[in-house]
């Protein structure tokens, strides 16, 4: 994970190209640690952003809805990488606008990992 990991904080969603912020949802993958990918992502995001964070939903946008800043984004990426034992590419992190984008990306990576086994 490099310094560019941003969860789309560098470019507001309204300025992103249509093809840069689109993730195709993957089938839900159950993690070995804490249940579903979605539940784990929500938990990590909530822990990083704190108690005053609005309700986190799949459609929550990191900047507009949850009030995340660039430091929060880096912390979220690092925590998710640790939680799921994977690397989130800087380019991919920069395209993640909503919680559902993160969930879809991680589900896809975990499914690909499981398919290789």
């Amino acid at each position: 994970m490099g310094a560019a990991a941003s969860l789309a904080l560098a470019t507001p969603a309204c300025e992103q190209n249509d093809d840069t912020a689109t993730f195709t949802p993957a089938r839900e993958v159950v993690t070995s640690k804490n249940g579903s990918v979605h539940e784990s992502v929500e938990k990590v995001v909530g822990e990083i952003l704190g108690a005053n964070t609005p309700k986190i939903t799949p459609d929550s946008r990191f900047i507009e809805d949850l009030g995340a800043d660039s430091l929060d984004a880096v912390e979220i990426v690092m925590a998710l990488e640790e939680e799921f034992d994977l690397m989130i590419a800087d380019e991919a992190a920069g395209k993640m606008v909503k919680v559902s984008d993160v969930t879809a990306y991680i589900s896809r990576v975990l499914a690909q990992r499981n398919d290789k086994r």
Side-chain angles (χ1 to χ4, degrees):
M1 202 261 340
S6 68
L7 295 175
L9 291 176
T11 306
C14 61
E15 294 179 16
Q16 293 182 352
N17 297 330
D18 289 337
D19 62 334
T20 62
T22 305
F23 288 96
T24 304
R27 66 182 183 263
E28 184 68 9
V29 177
V30 176
T31 67
S32 59
K33 290 182 181 180
N34 298 309
S36 76
V37 171
H38 174 73
E39 291 168 348
S40 296
V41 168
E42 280 191 6
K43 178 180 169 270
V44 167
V45 170
E47 287 174 356
I48 300 295
L49 297 180
N52 293 330
T53 303
K55 179 170 175 31
I56 300 169
T57 68
D59 290 329
S60 296
R61 297 169 296 176
F62 290 100
I63 300 169
E64 295 90 344
D65 301 328
L66 302 178
D69 61 25
S70 59
L71 180 58
D72 294 328
V74 171
E75 290 179 12
I76 290 169
V77 169
M78 291 172 54
L80 290 170
E81 288 176 333
E82 183 176 325
E83 175 73 19
F84 293 101
D85 191 30
L86 54 77
M87 294 295 295
I88 298 174
D90 291 343
E91 184 177 308
K95 296 176 184 177
M96 297 175 188
V97 176
K98 296 191 255 178
V99 172
S100 60
D101 297 335
V102 175
T103 302
Y105 177 86
I106 291 172
S107 294
R108 194 175 321 84
V109 169
L110 293 176
Q112 289 171 353
R113 181 188 299 168
N114 289 337
D115 288 345
K116 291 180 182 180
R117 292 183 181 173

